[in-house]
């Protein structure tokens, strides 16, 4: 089963994902965790270009292609082999991030993005996507407090609001794939909701 975590900045995906992986391993599942952009040695090199605050001249098309390049590498090198070996793959961000950030956020043509995405991933889609939702100001403040500010966070608030709204549109288009989780709730509660969503989906499969 291929599970992705999505959400605006500061939704706490990363630490929630490692707690979820730990729980699933305790239940006897083999679990691989990874993140985007990155997750492979080549992908991590691409990530450093994308997140470097000095790269102010990075062009929007270049940015899109770099996200997709990192993803293509990750799918081929790690995700597909793991799924073929019966493992659960948990991925911190995936194609929906490109649609939400580059599509809704930067207003790049969505149909074009979807075609590029299909090329980059060979059509691999998640079985389940957990959407950790948080309002934009709270999320960005969490990142500032944690000293995790990077080039991609530095867009104006209106951009981040479009991203969050974009996620909600994506969710409405494919409600059977997504589960919305209120990430403003205490951490333990968020984790509990995530576990319930995954357990339910595993029982169904
Ligand atoms: P990261 O520091 O990993 O943020 P987070 O902890 O919120 O996931 O940085 C990833 C950034 O890249 C984040 O701002 C979202 C952005 N992004 C895109 O714009 N498009 C994409 O396709 C992906 C995967 C990420």
């Amino acid at each position: 089963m291929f599970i992705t975590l999505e959400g605006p900045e500061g939704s706490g995906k990363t630490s929630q994902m490692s707690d979820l992986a730990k729980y699933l391993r305790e239940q006897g599942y083999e679990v691989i965790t990874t993140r985007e952009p990155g997750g492979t040695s080549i992908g991590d090199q691409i990530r450093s270009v994308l997140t470097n605050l000095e790269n102010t001249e990075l062009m929007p098309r270049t940015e899109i292609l770099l996200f997709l390049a990192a993803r293509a590498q990750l799918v081929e090198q790690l995700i597909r082999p793991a799924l073929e070996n019966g493992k659960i793959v948990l991925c911190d961000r995936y194609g929906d991030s490109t649609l939400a950030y580059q599509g809704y956020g930067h207003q790049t043509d969505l149909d074009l993005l979807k075609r590029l995405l299909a090329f980059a991933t060979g059509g691999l889609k998640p079985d389940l996507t957990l959407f950790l939702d948080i309002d934009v100001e709270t999320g960005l403040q969490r990142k500032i407090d944690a000293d995790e500010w990077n080039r991609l966070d530095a867009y104006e608030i209106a951009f981040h609001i479009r991203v969050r709204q974009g996620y909600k549109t994506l969710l409405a288009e494919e409600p059977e794939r997504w589960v919305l989780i209120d990430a403003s709730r205490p951490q333990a509660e968020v984790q509990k909701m995530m576990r319930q969503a995954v357990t339910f989906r595993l029982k169904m499969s």
Side-chain angles (χ1 to χ4, degrees):
M1 178 168 301
F2 180 26
I3 303 170
T4 58
L5 271 74
E6 294 284 353
E9 306 304 319
S11 58
K13 291 181 282 81
T14 310
S15 59
Q16 291 290 0
M17 190 174 85
S18 76
D19 289 353
L20 180 62
K22 194 165 156 246
Y23 167 76
L24 290 170
R25 287 188 186 112
E26 283 163 8
Q27 305 300 304
Y29 294 102
E30 276 196 86
V31 183
I32 298 272
T33 60
T34 186
R35 69 159 178 187
E36 283 218 34
T40 62
S41 155
I42 288 168
D44 284 335
Q45 293 171 60
I46 297 173
R47 180 187 178 88
S48 66
V49 176
L50 282 162
T51 55
N52 189 338
L53 282 166
E54 285 168 16
N55 282 343
T56 50
E57 74 274 34
L58 193 73
M59 295 298 169
R61 286 169 204 253
T62 317
E63 185 182 278
I64 291 168
L65 293 169
L66 288 174
F67 280 119
L68 293 173
R71 183 165 308 134
Q73 186 69 28
L74 182 66
V75 168
E76 286 291 314
Q77 193 179 333
L78 198 109
I79 299 179
R80 275 194 200 279
L83 293 173
E84 277 158 19
N85 285 320
K87 295 178 182 160
I88 295 180
V89 176
L90 294 181
C91 191
D92 185 349
R93 298 196 181 281
Y94 188 65
D96 297 304
S97 282
T98 305
L99 298 176
Y101 283 79
Q102 281 64 52
Y104 290 96
H106 291 305
Q107 293 160 324
T108 309
D109 184 278
L110 277 162
D111 287 329
L112 172 66
L113 279 182
K114 284 179 184 169
R115 282 193 287 144
L116 290 170
L117 248 181
F119 170 71
T121 61
L124 180 71
K125 290 191 91 178
D127 300 299
L128 171 66
T129 300
L130 303 175
F131 176 48
L132 270 59
D133 187 36
I134 186 129
D135 79 79
V136 167
E137 277 88 359
T138 313
L140 289 174
Q141 192 58 48
R142 279 187 183 176
K143 286 201 95 165
I144 293 169
D145 294 346
D147 210 9
E148 285 174 355
W149 194 253
N150 68 41
R151 188 187 67 83
L152 295 158
D153 300 318
Y155 294 113
E156 78 278 28
I157 292 283
F159 166 79
H160 292 287
I161 291 174
R162 286 198 298 277
V163 169
R164 183 180 181 210
Q165 210 44 53
Y167 272 125
K168 293 195 169 166
T169 306
L170 293 170
L171 191 148
E173 279 172 6
E174 268 182 292
E176 65 293 342
R177 172 164 68 89
W178 292 76
V179 173
L180 185 143
I181 288 168
D182 179 358
S184 69
R185 307 297 304 158
Q187 221 171 324
E189 213 176 294
V190 172
Q191 180 62 213
K192 195 170 154 210
M193 292 187 279
M194 289 170 64
R195 289 178 187 182
Q196 278 170 351
V198 172
T199 306
F200 179 73
R201 212 49 78 96
L202 283 166
K203 276 195 194 130
M204 302 251 299
S205 69

